[in-house]
Amino acid sequence: MTTPPLRVAAVVFPGFEVLDLFGPIEMLWMPKDVFPISIVAERRGEVASAQGVKVIADYAFSEATEFDIVLVPGGRGTRTEVSNPVILDWLRLVEPRARFVASICTGSALLAKAGLLDGQRATSNKNAFDWVVTQGPHVHWVREARWIEDGKYFTSSGVSAGMDMALGLIERILGRESSAQVARWAEYTWHSDSTQDPFA
């Protein structure tokens, strides 16, 4: 059965973490024409990462409200963005229409602050875990997890764990052989057991 394209909104904000974003994008790009990816931000144009590398946002939040997958990285900038009503309101707007919502690292703090993870199991970067938990007191936070899959929500631990989670999302949509093939193409050793977290 052919899988129709699933449009991905890769969210960026000042101070996002580069690998949080581009690790999962690399994995999602490999199954050709399945996951078309757009970079979305508060405003179009350049957005600087925590590392100083800049990306170009294809769309402003106000222009982009229909996506199948919403991908939210973490990074130092999340400490500011949890108080930014523009990004929080946009997440609340697009979440009901999305088939999947995924976060990497402290990106789960944004989902939690927006109220999207209330009643859900979720995880985050272990070095920032105690801070992230304060952003969502009604979330069932799991410290020892490489990533968590709970319904439509995928949340991962820190930085490199986002690639493992992205492969888990590919497995959910396209099956195990497809995710294993992507890992082979990337020459990446996939930590496919989401419960095994050596950094917890």
Side-chain angles (χ1 to χ4, degrees):
M1 184 176 72
T2 302
T3 299
L6 299 176
R7 298 158 300 170
V8 179
V11 178
V12 294
F13 46 82
F16 74 90
E17 184 73 22
V18 168
L19 188 60
D20 284 4
L21 181 73
F22 287 107
I25 282 178
E26 178 71 19
M27 300 302 176
L28 291 169
W29 169 83
M30 287 188 177
K32 298 296 185 186
D33 303 319
V34 177
F35 302 106
I37 298 164
S38 299
I39 305 295
V40 184
E42 187 169 341
R43 287 176 290 276
R44 284 193 188 206
E46 290 187 348
V47 181
S49 67
Q51 290 74 25
V53 176
K54 296 177 181 177
V55 300
I56 304 295
D58 302 303
Y59 300 105
F61 290 148
S62 60
E63 302 170 316
T65 59
E66 295 285 344
F67 291 98
D68 301 294
I69 299 172
V70 178
L71 185 71
V72 183
R76 290 197 306 253
T78 55
R79 272 69 170 180
T80 301
E81 295 302 310
V82 292
S83 300
N84 181 358
V86 177
I87 191 171
L88 299 179
D89 287 345
W90 183 81
L91 289 170
R92 295 181 188 112
L93 175 66
V94 297
E95 183 272 343
R97 303 182 178 107
R99 284 184 57 185
F100 299 100
V101 177
S103 67
I104 303 91
C105 193
T106 56
S108 58
L110 295 175
L111 299 183
K113 191 61 179 285
L116 305 185
L117 296 179
D118 285 356
Q120 306 294 136
R121 297 170 66 248
T123 194
S124 193
N125 185 307
K126 301 313 178 294
N127 291 315
F129 198 83
D130 292 341
W131 172 75
V132 172
V133 166
T134 66
Q135 305 306 309
H138 302 298
V139 180
H140 302 304
W141 295 105
V142 180
R143 186 179 293 270
E144 188 169 349
R146 187 71 173 159
W147 82 90
I148 294 284
E149 176 183 347
D150 191 349
K152 69 189 281 185
Y153 301 98
F154 283 68
T155 57
S156 82
S157 185
V159 194
S160 65
M163 293 184 286
D164 296 323
M165 180 199 71
L167 288 166
L169 180 59
I170 292 168
E171 179 181 17
R172 170 83 172 267
I173 297 167
L174 300 179
R176 179 73 173 201
E177 180 51 38
S178 292
S179 57
Q181 180 63 64
V182 168
R184 288 193 292 271
W185 284 333
E187 296 190 6
Y188 180 71
T189 301
W190 178 24
H191 298 83
S192 60
D193 185 345
S194 64
T195 66
Q196 295 299 309
D197 185 358
F199 300 100

